[in-house]
Amino acid sequence: MPNYLLLFGAFVSICLATAYAIKCYACESVYEAGCSENFEVENHFKYDCAFSAPPRFLESDLSSPNATACLKRVFKENGIWKYVRGCYFGDVNETDIWCRLDPTLTAVQNASCHVCDDENYCNGVNREVADSWPILTFLMVVLTSYILRLS
């Protein structure tokens, strides 16, 4: 019976771990030089998208106000290249709809939008290892169950 309780605990831990919002880098190269093409990871760029609201011009079209992925947007405005990293709202398979820029930006050229949802902080240059505590918890429970079975 204790083995089943341990496995149940591991299952609940894994389920709860996947329920949290995605975490992304959030910065703009206009204000932070490290947010440009040569991205420099800074702790203050790390942002939990659970605390982020969607852009006002997208709010009326969204079925859910929760962030679904991370984005990196690159565009040229008034001759200056700008890089914006942050939370993405909308369907990750419909970037042509949900990556649109604020309509008040009128002098924008060469806009591109890169969306990722496969791991936390995926919108940097080098991908960091995602939070691994659910896997470690599961492995510890399996190891504990094995040890208890031997005794």
Side-chain angles (χ1 to χ4, degrees):
M1 182 68 170
N3 290 342
Y4 293 115
L5 290 176
L6 288 173
L7 290 175
F8 178 74
F11 176 75
V12 169
S13 295
I14 290 170
C15 289
L16 290 175
T18 59
Y20 66 91
I22 192 163
K23 296 174 182 150
C24 304
Y25 292 112
C27 59
E28 295 184 35
S29 62
V30 173
Y31 307 111
E32 298 278 351
C35 190
S36 64
E37 182 178 8
N38 300 319
F39 184 67
E40 298 172 15
V41 175
E42 299 281 344
N43 277 336
H44 64 275
F45 290 166
K46 294 181 176 183
Y47 189 76
D48 185 346
C49 291
F51 303 107
S52 184
R56 286 193 177 129
F57 65 92
L58 289 178
E59 282 180 339
S60 62
D61 298 329
L62 288 171
S63 59
S64 170
N66 299 325
T68 55
C70 299
L71 71 81
K72 179 178 89 171
R73 183 176 282 141
V74 181
F75 59 95
K76 193 173 188 179
E77 184 180 26
N78 296 322
I80 299 171
W81 284 102
K82 297 183 179 183
Y83 294 78
V84 177
R85 289 174 168 81
C87 305
Y88 175 85
F89 298 85
D91 187 339
V92 295
N93 296 316
E94 295 181 4
T95 55
D96 55 329
I97 297 171
W98 302 108
C99 270
R100 65 182 188 256
L101 287 166
D102 185 336
T104 62
L105 299 174
T106 56
V108 173
Q109 302 170 342
N110 302 325
S112 68
C113 182
H114 308 280
V115 176
C116 57
D117 66 349
D118 53 343
E119 62 185 24
N120 287 329
Y121 310 113
C122 59
N123 61 340
V125 173
N126 296 324
R127 294 183 176 216
E128 292 186 354
V129 176
D131 291 335
S132 58
W133 73 267
I135 295 168
L136 292 174
T137 301
F138 177 73
L139 290 175
M140 289 299 293
V141 169
V142 170
L143 180 63
T144 304
S145 175
Y146 179 74
I147 291 171
L148 288 174
R149 196 175 339 158
L150 289 177
S151 53

